[in-house]
Amino acid sequence: STMFLVGLSGGIASGKSTVVAMLRELGCAVIDADVIARQVVQPHSKAHQQILQHFGTEILLENGEINREALGNIIFSQPEKRRLLNSITHPEILKEMLKQVLKYFVLGYRYVILDIPLLFETRGLTRFMKYTVLVYCDPPTQRARLMRRSGLGAAEAEARISSQLPLDEKRKWATHVIDNSGERESTRRQVLRLHARLEDSLHFLWARLAVGTAVAGLGGLVFLLLRHFIS
């Protein structure tokens, strides 16, 4: 069998969710790293129990879920606590990602898309992706969409955008770019072309997958993912 991995990322208000929805409609296999990062710390999970043992019950909400803001305040001010949290969540996130990749391999999928918001920030994680895809939009469009979506003023929107790696910088590293600056139909046509190209690509990736499980930078990815959904 042949299968390869495709890393997908974007920026705030760039339209990544729209592109992912289109890919799912085409029947593509998509693994959402943010969803996994949340799932592995749900109540009664192994990671949840370990986090309580080390951080105490004061980080819990009334419904038993972890108060991400409270936990975030701890790990961002105490590097040793951050490393501890990474050591708890890293194996569980990796295990779930690999389990889902293997599931799609067994099902015969040609490729699997890993939806990782901070893919290009981690850099090292791209080493075992055959292709990387950036959902791009020009800065004025990105700012306008964020203001409209979140009800922010221009200064607030610009501050949030500036806190991320610029899309123009990420664009330099991506092997494929979906320009979502225009109409939805234009984006759909680009997604269809990308899907066709990926379906025509044949690359063995078991070696890449094996290397990927040992990528040391994945620990940094876990921290960045946690920081992403905590904020």
Short mmCIF file of all heavy atoms in Angstrom, two decimals, residues 55-97:
data_model
loop_
_atom_site.label_atom_id
_atom_site.label_comp_id
_atom_site.label_asym_id
_atom_site.label_seq_id
_atom_site.Cartn_x
_atom_site.Cartn_y
_atom_site.Cartn_z
N PHE A 55 -0.88 18.80 39.57
CA PHE A 55 -1.26 20.21 39.60
C PHE A 55 -2.39 20.51 40.60
O PHE A 55 -2.67 21.68 40.87
CB PHE A 55 -1.67 20.68 38.20
CG PHE A 55 -0.52 20.72 37.22
CD1 PHE A 55 -0.18 19.60 36.49
CD2 PHE A 55 0.22 21.88 37.05
CE1 PHE A 55 0.88 19.62 35.58
CE2 PHE A 55 1.28 21.92 36.15
CZ PHE A 55 1.61 20.79 35.42
N GLY A 56 -3.04 19.47 41.10
CA GLY A 56 -4.07 19.68 42.11
C GLY A 56 -5.45 19.94 41.51
O GLY A 56 -5.59 20.27 40.34
N THR A 57 -6.46 19.82 42.36
CA THR A 57 -7.85 19.96 41.91
C THR A 57 -8.26 21.42 41.72
O THR A 57 -9.34 21.69 41.19
CB THR A 57 -8.80 19.30 42.91
OG1 THR A 57 -8.59 19.88 44.22
CG2 THR A 57 -8.57 17.80 42.99
N GLU A 58 -7.42 22.36 42.15
CA GLU A 58 -7.78 23.78 42.00
C GLU A 58 -7.80 24.23 40.54
O GLU A 58 -8.31 25.31 40.23
CB GLU A 58 -6.83 24.67 42.80
CG GLU A 58 -5.37 24.58 42.40
CD GLU A 58 -4.62 23.52 43.19
OE1 GLU A 58 -5.28 22.64 43.77
OE2 GLU A 58 -3.38 23.57 43.21
N ILE A 59 -7.29 23.40 39.64
CA ILE A 59 -7.31 23.76 38.21
C ILE A 59 -8.56 23.22 37.52
O ILE A 59 -8.67 23.32 36.30
CB ILE A 59 -6.06 23.24 37.48
CG1 ILE A 59 -6.02 21.70 37.50
CG2 ILE A 59 -4.79 23.83 38.07
CD1 ILE A 59 -4.99 21.11 36.57
N LEU A 60 -9.49 22.65 38.28
CA LEU A 60 -10.69 22.07 37.68
C LEU A 60 -11.84 23.08 37.65
O LEU A 60 -11.99 23.94 38.53
CB LEU A 60 -11.15 20.85 38.49
CG LEU A 60 -10.30 19.58 38.39
CD1 LEU A 60 -10.94 18.48 39.21
CD2 LEU A 60 -10.13 19.15 36.94
N LEU A 61 -12.66 22.94 36.62
CA LEU A 61 -13.93 23.66 36.55
C LEU A 61 -14.98 22.85 37.30
O LEU A 61 -14.74 21.70 37.69
CB LEU A 61 -14.34 23.85 35.09
CG LEU A 61 -13.41 24.71 34.23
CD1 LEU A 61 -13.82 24.60 32.76
CD2 LEU A 61 -13.44 26.16 34.69
N GLU A 62 -16.17 23.40 37.46
CA GLU A 62 -17.22 22.70 38.19
C GLU A 62 -17.64 21.39 37.53
O GLU A 62 -18.06 20.45 38.19
CB GLU A 62 -18.44 23.62 38.36
CG GLU A 62 -18.21 24.79 39.31
CD GLU A 62 -19.46 25.61 39.50
OE1 GLU A 62 -20.51 25.24 38.93
OE2 GLU A 62 -19.39 26.62 40.22
N ASN A 63 -17.53 21.34 36.19
CA ASN A 63 -17.94 20.13 35.48
C ASN A 63 -16.84 19.07 35.43
O ASN A 63 -16.99 18.03 34.78
CB ASN A 63 -18.39 20.47 34.06
CG ASN A 63 -17.28 21.09 33.22
OD1 ASN A 63 -16.14 21.24 33.67
ND2 ASN A 63 -17.61 21.47 32.00
N GLY A 64 -15.73 19.32 36.10
CA GLY A 64 -14.65 18.35 36.15
C GLY A 64 -13.60 18.52 35.08
O GLY A 64 -12.55 17.86 35.12
N GLU A 65 -13.86 19.38 34.10
CA GLU A 65 -12.87 19.61 33.06
C GLU A 65 -11.78 20.55 33.57
O GLU A 65 -11.97 21.29 34.54
CB GLU A 65 -13.54 20.23 31.82
CG GLU A 65 -14.49 19.28 31.11
CD GLU A 65 -15.05 19.87 29.82
OE1 GLU A 65 -14.66 21.01 29.47
OE2 GLU A 65 -15.87 19.21 29.17
N ILE A 66 -10.64 20.51 32.90
CA ILE A 66 -9.51 21.34 33.31
C ILE A 66 -9.75 22.79 32.91
O ILE A 66 -10.16 23.08 31.78
CB ILE A 66 -8.21 20.81 32.68
CG1 ILE A 66 -7.84 19.46 33.31
CG2 ILE A 66 -7.07 21.80 32.87
CD1 ILE A 66 -6.66 18.78 32.66
N ASN A 67 -9.51 23.67 33.85
CA ASN A 67 -9.59 25.11 33.59
C ASN A 67 -8.32 25.50 32.83
O ASN A 67 -7.25 25.64 33.42
CB ASN A 67 -9.70 25.88 34.91
CG ASN A 67 -9.90 27.38 34.69
OD1 ASN A 67 -9.42 27.95 33.72
ND2 ASN A 67 -10.61 28.01 35.61
N ARG A 68 -8.45 25.65 31.53
CA ARG A 68 -7.27 25.88 30.70
C ARG A 68 -6.57 27.20 31.03
O ARG A 68 -5.35 27.31 30.93
CB ARG A 68 -7.67 25.82 29.22
CG ARG A 68 -8.13 24.43 28.78
CD ARG A 68 -8.29 24.34 27.28
NE ARG A 68 -9.37 25.16 26.80
CZ ARG A 68 -10.63 24.76 26.70
NH1 ARG A 68 -10.96 23.54 27.10
NH2 ARG A 68 -11.57 25.56 26.23
N GLU A 69 -7.36 28.19 31.42
CA GLU A 69 -6.75 29.48 31.78
C GLU A 69 -5.90 29.34 33.04
O GLU A 69 -4.77 29.84 33.10
CB GLU A 69 -7.83 30.53 32.00
CG GLU A 69 -7.27 31.91 32.32
CD GLU A 69 -8.36 32.96 32.48
OE1 GLU A 69 -9.55 32.63 32.28
OE2 GLU A 69 -8.01 34.10 32.82
N ALA A 70 -6.43 28.64 34.05
CA ALA A 70 -5.68 28.44 35.29
C ALA A 70 -4.42 27.62 35.05
O ALA A 70 -3.34 27.94 35.57
CB ALA A 70 -6.58 27.75 36.32
N LEU A 71 -4.55 26.56 34.26
CA LEU A 71 -3.39 25.72 33.95
C LEU A 71 -2.37 26.51 33.14
O LEU A 71 -1.16 26.38 33.36
CB LEU A 71 -3.84 24.47 33.20
CG LEU A 71 -2.75 23.46 32.86
CD1 LEU A 71 -2.04 22.97 34.10
CD2 LEU A 71 -3.34 22.28 32.08
N GLY A 72 -2.88 27.32 32.23
CA GLY A 72 -1.98 28.13 31.40
C GLY A 72 -1.17 29.11 32.21
O GLY A 72 0.03 29.31 31.96
N ASN A 73 -1.79 29.70 33.23
CA ASN A 73 -1.07 30.64 34.09
C ASN A 73 0.08 29.95 34.81
O ASN A 73 1.12 30.57 35.06
CB ASN A 73 -2.03 31.26 35.10
CG ASN A 73 -3.02 32.21 34.46
OD1 ASN A 73 -2.76 32.77 33.40
ND2 ASN A 73 -4.16 32.39 35.10
N ILE A 74 -0.11 28.69 35.13
CA ILE A 74 0.93 27.93 35.84
C ILE A 74 2.08 27.59 34.91
O ILE A 74 3.25 27.86 35.20
CB ILE A 74 0.34 26.65 36.46
CG1 ILE A 74 -0.68 27.00 37.55
CG2 ILE A 74 1.46 25.77 37.03
CD1 ILE A 74 -1.44 25.79 38.08
N ILE A 75 1.76 26.99 33.77
CA ILE A 75 2.84 26.46 32.92
C ILE A 75 3.62 27.55 32.20
O ILE A 75 4.80 27.38 31.90
CB ILE A 75 2.29 25.44 31.89
CG1 ILE A 75 1.36 26.10 30.88
CG2 ILE A 75 1.61 24.29 32.60
CD1 ILE A 75 0.94 25.19 29.75
N PHE A 76 2.99 28.69 31.94
CA PHE A 76 3.71 29.74 31.22
C PHE A 76 4.65 30.52 32.13
O PHE A 76 5.58 31.15 31.66
CB PHE A 76 2.72 30.69 30.54
CG PHE A 76 1.91 30.01 29.46
CD1 PHE A 76 0.58 30.34 29.28
CD2 PHE A 76 2.48 29.07 28.63
CE1 PHE A 76 -0.17 29.71 28.29
CE2 PHE A 76 1.74 28.43 27.65
CZ PHE A 76 0.41 28.75 27.48
N SER A 77 4.40 30.46 33.43
CA SER A 77 5.27 31.17 34.37
C SER A 77 6.29 30.24 35.02
O SER A 77 7.22 30.70 35.67
CB SER A 77 4.43 31.85 35.46
OG SER A 77 3.69 30.89 36.20
N GLN A 78 6.09 28.92 34.87
CA GLN A 78 7.00 27.96 35.48
C GLN A 78 7.42 26.91 34.44
O GLN A 78 6.71 25.93 34.19
CB GLN A 78 6.31 27.25 36.65
CG GLN A 78 5.83 28.21 37.75
CD GLN A 78 5.16 27.46 38.89
OE1 GLN A 78 5.76 26.56 39.48
NE2 GLN A 78 3.93 27.83 39.21
N PRO A 79 8.59 27.12 33.84
CA PRO A 79 9.06 26.21 32.78
C PRO A 79 9.09 24.74 33.20
O PRO A 79 8.80 23.86 32.38
CB PRO A 79 10.47 26.73 32.48
CG PRO A 79 10.42 28.17 32.89
CD PRO A 79 9.52 28.23 34.08
N GLU A 80 9.45 24.46 34.46
CA GLU A 80 9.51 23.07 34.89
C GLU A 80 8.13 22.43 34.91
O GLU A 80 7.97 21.24 34.61
CB GLU A 80 10.16 22.95 36.27
CG GLU A 80 9.34 23.46 37.44
CD GLU A 80 9.38 24.98 37.60
OE1 GLU A 80 10.02 25.64 36.74
OE2 GLU A 80 8.80 25.49 38.56
N LYS A 81 7.10 23.22 35.22
CA LYS A 81 5.72 22.73 35.18
C LYS A 81 5.28 22.50 33.74
O LYS A 81 4.54 21.55 33.43
CB LYS A 81 4.78 23.72 35.86
CG LYS A 81 4.99 23.89 37.35
CD LYS A 81 4.54 22.65 38.11
CE LYS A 81 4.59 22.88 39.60
NZ LYS A 81 4.14 21.69 40.37
N ARG A 82 5.74 23.35 32.84
CA ARG A 82 5.42 23.18 31.43
C ARG A 82 6.02 21.88 30.90
O ARG A 82 5.37 21.13 30.18
CB ARG A 82 5.93 24.37 30.63
CG ARG A 82 5.60 24.29 29.14
CD ARG A 82 5.94 25.58 28.42
NE ARG A 82 7.37 25.81 28.34
CZ ARG A 82 8.00 26.86 28.86
NH1 ARG A 82 7.33 27.75 29.56
NH2 ARG A 82 9.30 27.00 28.72
N ARG A 83 7.26 21.63 31.28
CA ARG A 83 7.89 20.38 30.84
C ARG A 83 7.17 19.17 31.41
O ARG A 83 7.02 18.14 30.74
CB ARG A 83 9.37 20.38 31.25
CG ARG A 83 10.23 21.35 30.46
CD ARG A 83 11.70 21.12 30.74
NE ARG A 83 12.06 21.52 32.09
CZ ARG A 83 12.47 22.73 32.41
NH1 ARG A 83 12.58 23.67 31.48
NH2 ARG A 83 12.80 23.03 33.66
N LEU A 84 6.72 19.28 32.66
CA LEU A 84 5.98 18.20 33.28
C LEU A 84 4.67 17.94 32.54
O LEU A 84 4.33 16.78 32.25
CB LEU A 84 5.68 18.54 34.74
CG LEU A 84 4.77 17.56 35.51
CD1 LEU A 84 5.37 16.17 35.54
CD2 LEU A 84 4.51 18.08 36.91
N LEU A 85 3.96 19.01 32.22
CA LEU A 85 2.70 18.85 31.49
C LEU A 85 2.94 18.23 30.12
O LEU A 85 2.18 17.35 29.69
CB LEU A 85 2.01 20.22 31.33
CG LEU A 85 0.66 20.20 30.64
CD1 LEU A 85 -0.36 19.38 31.44
CD2 LEU A 85 0.13 21.62 30.42
N ASN A 86 4.00 18.67 29.45
CA ASN A 86 4.34 18.08 28.15
C ASN A 86 4.61 16.59 28.26
O ASN A 86 4.20 15.80 27.39
CB ASN A 86 5.56 18.78 27.55
CG ASN A 86 5.24 20.16 27.01
OD1 ASN A 86 4.08 20.49 26.78
ND2 ASN A 86 6.26 20.97 26.82
N SER A 87 5.31 16.19 29.33
CA SER A 87 5.64 14.78 29.50
C SER A 87 4.39 13.93 29.74
O SER A 87 4.40 12.73 29.46
CB SER A 87 6.62 14.61 30.67
OG SER A 87 5.98 14.85 31.93
N ILE A 88 3.35 14.56 30.25
CA ILE A 88 2.09 13.85 30.48
C ILE A 88 1.26 13.76 29.20
O ILE A 88 0.74 12.69 28.85
CB ILE A 88 1.26 14.55 31.58
CG1 ILE A 88 1.99 14.45 32.94
CG2 ILE A 88 -0.14 13.95 31.68
CD1 ILE A 88 1.36 15.29 34.03
N THR A 89 1.13 14.87 28.51
CA THR A 89 0.23 14.93 27.35
C THR A 89 0.87 14.45 26.05
O THR A 89 0.18 13.91 25.19
CB THR A 89 -0.28 16.37 27.14
OG1 THR A 89 0.86 17.25 26.98
CG2 THR A 89 -1.11 16.82 28.33
N HIS A 90 2.18 14.66 25.91
CA HIS A 90 2.87 14.29 24.67
C HIS A 90 2.61 12.85 24.24
O HIS A 90 2.18 12.60 23.10
CB HIS A 90 4.36 14.56 24.84
CG HIS A 90 5.22 14.09 23.71
ND1 HIS A 90 6.59 14.11 23.77
CD2 HIS A 90 4.93 13.59 22.49
CE1 HIS A 90 7.09 13.62 22.65
NE2 HIS A 90 6.10 13.29 21.86
N PRO A 91 2.83 11.86 25.12
CA PRO A 91 2.61 10.47 24.69
C PRO A 91 1.16 10.19 24.28
O PRO A 91 0.93 9.42 23.35
CB PRO A 91 2.99 9.65 25.93
CG PRO A 91 3.87 10.54 26.73
CD PRO A 91 3.34 11.91 26.51
N GLU A 92 0.20 10.82 24.97
CA GLU A 92 -1.20 10.57 24.66
C GLU A 92 -1.61 11.20 23.34
O GLU A 92 -2.35 10.59 22.55
CB GLU A 92 -2.09 11.11 25.80
CG GLU A 92 -1.81 10.49 27.15
CD GLU A 92 -1.90 8.98 27.11
OE1 GLU A 92 -2.92 8.45 26.60
OE2 GLU A 92 -0.95 8.31 27.56
N ILE A 93 -1.11 12.40 23.06
CA ILE A 93 -1.41 13.05 21.78
C ILE A 93 -0.78 12.27 20.63
O ILE A 93 -1.42 12.00 19.61
CB ILE A 93 -0.90 14.50 21.78
CG1 ILE A 93 -1.72 15.35 22.76
CG2 ILE A 93 -0.98 15.11 20.38
CD1 ILE A 93 -1.20 16.77 22.92
N LEU A 94 0.48 11.89 20.80
CA LEU A 94 1.17 11.12 19.77
C LEU A 94 0.49 9.79 19.51
O LEU A 94 0.30 9.37 18.37
CB LEU A 94 2.62 10.89 20.19
CG LEU A 94 3.49 10.09 19.22
CD1 LEU A 94 3.53 10.74 17.85
CD2 LEU A 94 4.90 9.93 19.79
N LYS A 95 0.09 9.13 20.60
CA LYS A 95 -0.58 7.83 20.48
C LYS A 95 -1.88 7.95 19.68
O LYS A 95 -2.16 7.14 18.80
CB LYS A 95 -0.88 7.28 21.88
CG LYS A 95 -1.47 5.88 21.88
CD LYS A 95 -1.98 5.51 23.27
CE LYS A 95 -0.92 5.66 24.33
NZ LYS A 95 -1.42 5.28 25.68
N GLU A 96 -2.65 8.98 19.98
CA GLU A 96 -3.93 9.15 19.28
C GLU A 96 -3.73 9.54 17.82
O GLU A 96 -4.44 9.06 16.94
CB GLU A 96 -4.77 10.22 20.00
CG GLU A 96 -6.14 10.45 19.38
CD GLU A 96 -7.01 9.21 19.34
OE1 GLU A 96 -6.85 8.33 20.23
OE2 GLU A 96 -7.85 9.08 18.42
N MET A 97 -2.75 10.39 17.55
CA MET A 97 -2.47 10.78 16.16
C MET A 97 -2.04 9.56 15.35
O MET A 97 -2.53 9.34 14.23
CB MET A 97 -1.38 11.85 16.11
CG MET A 97 -1.82 13.20 16.64
SD MET A 97 -0.50 14.44 16.60
CE MET A 97 -0.39 14.76 14.85
#
